[in-house]
Amino acid sequence: MEELAGPLCRRLEAEPTAYDLAISSCIILYHFADVVAHVRGLTAHEVAEEIAAKVPDFHTIRAIANAGKHVELTRHPKSELVGLRAEHLVRGKGAAFSDGSYFEGNVTWSDMPEAVVVETPEGRLHDVPHLCARVFKALCSDTELFQV
């Protein structure tokens, strides 16, 4: 986490419109489940489900990571994310609030700087740099996961 995800997430925070950093950050964050699974002798799927139960944003990270690798998400534990495509990640206005959220209807302030954003199939807009930062922080603060 500290050697791969940390630097990527910090670079994405500094360069919020960097599409490559957004996809890479999501892929590394999602595949942290592989590391935990290896250490615990579980499947990556089991660990990903455990993480998502604790960190709901992990579902979206997982969806972005897989859409970024496979062009279109054809299966996912949360059916509302199926259909997400890599091309849905675009540069757009960043979130209205410091927690990465938007006003109702995916509206933000007119003067917000651009960031990589994604509108998931259920119609929710996500500020990807904020999303990555939240998941990274949550994973690092969960000692049961982080100190495998």
Side-chain angles (χ1 to χ4, degrees), residues 65-73:
N66 281 319
K69 290 188 312 183
H70 303 292
V71 182
E72 181 174 3
L73 192 62

Side-chain angles (χ1 to χ4, degrees), residues 47-147:
V47 173
E49 289 299 310
E50 176 188 344
I51 293 171
K54 295 177 177 184
V55 184
D57 283 332
F58 192 75
H59 281 298
T60 307
I61 290 289
R62 179 183 193 173
I64 293 168
N66 281 319
K69 290 188 312 183
H70 303 292
V71 182
E72 181 174 3
L73 192 62
T74 58
R75 62 181 201 266
H76 192 279
K78 297 203 52 110
S79 60
E80 61 268 21
L81 293 171
V82 172
L84 182 69
R85 297 180 56 88
E87 65 201 38
H88 293 154
L89 273 86
V90 298
R91 288 179 182 91
K93 292 287 186 179
F97 301 102
S98 62
D99 67 354
S101 64
Y102 289 81
F103 288 109
E104 178 106 15
N106 295 327
V107 176
T108 189
W109 303 103
S110 62
D111 61 345
M112 289 306 293
E114 285 198 332
V116 174
V117 299
V118 64
E119 185 171 349
T120 50
E122 84 272 26
R124 184 168 171 221
L125 192 63
H126 301 269
D127 179 310
V128 178
H130 277 96
L131 179 68
C132 289
R134 280 195 312 272
V135 170
F136 177 73
K137 182 178 178 182
L139 291 175
C140 288
S141 67
D142 188 329
T143 55
E144 184 180 332
L145 292 170
F146 192 67
Q147 295 177 359

Side-chain angles (χ1 to χ4, degrees), residues 5-61:
L8 280 171
C9 289
R10 285 188 290 279
R11 286 180 54 208
L12 180 57
E13 182 180 10
E15 301 175 53
T17 60
Y19 180 83
D20 58 332
L21 292 175
I23 292 284
S24 299
S25 296
C26 290
I27 290 170
I28 292 298
L29 288 168
Y30 169 54
H31 285 289
F32 178 66
D34 294 342
V35 174
V36 176
H38 175 76
V39 170
R40 290 186 180 172
L42 300 171
T43 69
H45 177 76
E46 291 170 319
V47 173
E49 289 299 310
E50 176 188 344
I51 293 171
K54 295 177 177 184
V55 184
D57 283 332
F58 192 75
H59 281 298
T60 307
I61 290 289

